Amino acid sequence: CGPDNGCNCTACFQLDLEARQLPHGYFLNRAGFAVRRGEPWMGRRRFYCGRRVMHPSMQYNDGWCGDDDGENCESCRIIDKQIALGGCYYRFTQYPFVG
């Protein structure tokens, strides 16, 4: 586990959440920003950090990583992909402390 070696282990993940005093249901994306699942959009609940990080010319995108317009940034898409593939973030969605 580590910043350059994939996802945090379970113990480090819990330490991150506690150190940042994140509310129930929040993760940290690879960029280090707090993220949470948005409302269902096109059949999926994506993760969003709320930062203005994208070019607003994309379809369904106003430039913000947020569920108002459906698109999420690359750092948040990594979490979505990991969960879909049963990767390292998937196991964190299975614990009661993360919703």
Side-chain angles (χ1 to χ4, degrees):
C1 128
D4 299 321
N5 195 21
C7 298
N8 283 351
C9 66
T10 303
C12 289
F13 182 81
Q14 288 176 308
L15 284 173
D16 278 344
L17 294 177
E18 290 170 11
R20 294 185 185 222
Q21 299 178 349
L22 294 175
H24 176 77
Y26 279 73
F27 287 149
L28 293 174
N29 66 17
R30 192 167 277 188
F33 292 93
V35 302
R36 67 178 174 87
R37 277 189 163 159
E39 295 300 316
W41 185 79
M42 296 185 73
R44 290 186 11 205
R45 289 187 67 201
R46 298 176 182 197
F47 282 90
Y48 301 99
C49 63
R51 298 178 301 139
R52 185 173 178 88
V53 294
M54 298 177 292
H55 194 277
S57 66
M58 297 169 57
Q59 184 179 11
Y60 304 116
N61 183 347
D62 62 0
W64 295 89
C65 177
D67 62 348
D68 291 344
D69 56 18
E71 290 295 325
N72 54 359
C73 70
E74 182 60 30
S75 294
C76 291
R77 282 193 296 268
I78 290 171
I79 296 174
D80 290 338
K81 290 175 191 174
Q82 284 290 327
I83 290 171
L85 296 172
C88 56
Y89 282 101
Y90 176 79
R91 71 177 178 259
F92 297 128
T93 64
Q94 305 307 301
Y95 292 106
F97 63 85
V98 178

